[in-house]
């Protein structure tokens, strides 16, 4: 059903209000069990991942390109000016969709591979307290693109389904399974008990270079927050602290580390070393 809307304050558009207000969106999306997907490609990937569409908000010029997606869905059509008035920014990718969240699996279920259609993961990334939604989305994109099997989030890590995370990931948040720990302090013990070797990525150049660590069958790469990196507790819990070797000349000039997204991309590539040569687990 296609409905024209001329007022940005129309209550039917409540799912889309103030998309840049992080605190409001956390509350609203958590209460209603929704998230917002931006752009045709991302909407299609969310639908393919099984997320039901609550409604679509778009302008008239994008209707034809969304025909197969919007069948049986309420579609609100607005002018460019009304769209910007609702969202607070120009929507360059043509459309927004309010999507229903799916229940997250428990960490134990994700690691065991017992979930429907899943196989037992053997290379995973564990994120501790990353608070920037764009960084989380970019890391999901790196992990998915390089073949990582799953992502585990600490309790305080940013939401991968927040609009900016989804947008930056280009929908990769729908391509890789993830779960959120219930217990930060003891969460790594559960991963270790599942048979994972815990590697803590650190800028400390006295740590073993990641490329030199012998990797076992199941490996978890731990990445820390944007400012402080991994907590001392998680570093202590790791089997090995590992680093990405920095240029000595650059370090002499004060450039001694990478930002977390660049580090994640390099480290995920290293994590997959020899992985495709291993026999698949059931």
């Amino acid at each position: 059903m296609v409905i024209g809307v001329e007022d940005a304050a129309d209550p039917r558009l409540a799912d889309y209000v103030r998309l840049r207000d992080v605190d409001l969106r956390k509350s609203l999306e958590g209460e209603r069990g929704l998230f917002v997907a931006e752009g045709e490609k991302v909407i299609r990937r969310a639908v393919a991942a099984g997320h039901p569409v609550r409604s679509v908000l778009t302008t008239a010029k994008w209707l034809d390109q969304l025909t197969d997606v919007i069948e049986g869905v309420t579609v609100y059509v607005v002018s460019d000016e009304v769209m910007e008035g609702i969202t607070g920014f120009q929507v360059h990718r043509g459309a927004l969709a309010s999507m229903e969240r799916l229940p997250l699996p428990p960490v134990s279920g994700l690691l065991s591979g017992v979930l429907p259609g899943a196989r037992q993961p053997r290379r995973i990334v564990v994120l501790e307290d990353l608070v920037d939604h764009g960084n989380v989305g970019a890391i999901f994109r790196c992990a998915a693109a390089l073949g990582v099997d799953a992502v585990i989030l600490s309790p305080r890590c940013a939401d991968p389904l927040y609009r900016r995370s989804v947008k930056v990931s280009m929908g990769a948040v729908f391509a890789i399974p993830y779960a959120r720990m219930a217990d930060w302090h003891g969460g790594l013990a559960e991963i270790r008990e599942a048979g994972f070797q815990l590697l803590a990525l650190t800028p400390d150049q006295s740590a073993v270079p990641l490329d030199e660590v012998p990797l076992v069958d199941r490996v978890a790469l731990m990445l820390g927050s944007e400012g402080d990196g991994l907590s001392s507790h998680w570093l202590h819990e790791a089997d090995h602290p590992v680093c990405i070797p920095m240029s000595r000349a650059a370090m002499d000039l004060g450039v001694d580390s990478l930002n977390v997204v660049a580090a994640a991309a390099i480290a995920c590539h290293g994590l997959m070393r020899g992985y495709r040569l291993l026999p698949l687990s059931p």
Side-chain angles (χ1 to χ4, degrees):
M1 180 170 58
V2 178
I3 301 172
V5 178
E6 297 180 357
D7 184 357
D10 191 305
R12 292 173 294 182
L13 307 181
D15 282 1
Y16 303 96
V17 299
R18 293 165 61 184
L19 292 179
R20 285 183 166 175
D21 187 329
V22 177
D23 291 335
L24 171 70
R25 295 306 304 185
K26 284 181 180 178
S27 174
L28 184 152
E29 294 183 12
E31 177 184 319
R32 299 182 185 177
L34 64 87
F35 68 94
V36 172
E38 180 180 348
E40 178 193 358
K41 290 182 179 179
V42 171
I43 293 170
R44 290 184 183 280
R45 288 173 182 174
V47 170
H51 292 276
V53 182
R54 291 165 57 96
S55 66
V56 171
L57 176 65
T58 188
T59 55
K61 64 184 178 183
W62 283 89
L63 278 175
D64 289 344
Q65 297 186 46
L66 293 167
T67 300
D68 57 320
V69 175
I70 62 179
E71 184 177 355
V73 174
T74 299
V75 181
Y76 299 111
V77 180
V78 298
S79 66
D80 291 335
E81 293 75 20
V82 171
M83 177 74 86
E84 187 169 352
I86 296 165
T87 62
F89 59 91
Q90 289 186 336
V91 179
H92 296 293
R93 291 182 172 87
L96 299 168
S98 174
M99 317 285 297
E100 291 185 15
R101 291 175 181 257
L102 302 176
L104 280 183
V107 171
S108 59
L110 183 62
L111 297 182
S112 67
V114 299
L115 302 175
R119 65 182 180 90
Q120 198 174 64
R122 297 165 73 176
R123 294 290 186 271
I124 68 172
V125 168
V126 186
L127 304 183
E128 184 190 25
D129 295 358
L130 275 82
V131 296
D132 184 279
H133 292 92
N135 285 345
V136 169
I139 291 172
F140 265 76
R141 187 174 184 182
C142 294
L146 292 168
V148 172
D149 295 318
V151 177
I152 305 294
L153 310 174
S154 73
R156 294 185 297 186
C157 204
D159 179 14
L161 293 186
Y162 182 71
R163 180 188 61 85
R164 179 161 173 75
S165 296
V166 177
K167 180 180 179 181
V168 170
S169 81
M170 287 298 294
V173 294
F174 309 119
I176 183 168
Y178 70 95
R180 187 179 293 273
M181 293 178 178
D183 173 21
W184 165 81
H185 191 271
L188 293 180
E190 183 175 16
I191 297 174
R192 176 179 282 109
E193 289 168 5
F196 282 85
Q197 175 190 41
L198 300 177
L199 303 183
L201 189 66
T202 171
D204 183 354
Q205 295 296 288
S206 68
V208 180
L210 176 59
D211 288 346
E212 297 179 12
V213 176
L215 302 181
V216 300
D217 182 62
R218 308 189 83 186
V219 184
L221 175 70
M222 300 151 55
L223 300 173
S225 65
E226 291 87 353
D228 299 327
L230 288 166
S231 65
S232 58
H233 173 63
W234 275 32
L235 281 169
H236 179 73
E237 287 286 305
D239 295 310
H240 301 286
V242 296
C243 71
I244 298 170
M246 298 287 107
S247 159
R248 175 56 59 185
M251 291 185 66
D252 290 342
L253 295 172
V255 182
D256 61 355
S257 64
L258 298 164
N259 69 49
V260 68
V261 174
I266 295 170
C268 284
H269 186 272
L271 179 68
M272 303 309 291
R273 169 169 40 100
Y275 176 64
R276 294 173 183 83
L277 300 178
L278 296 172
L280 290 177
S281 297

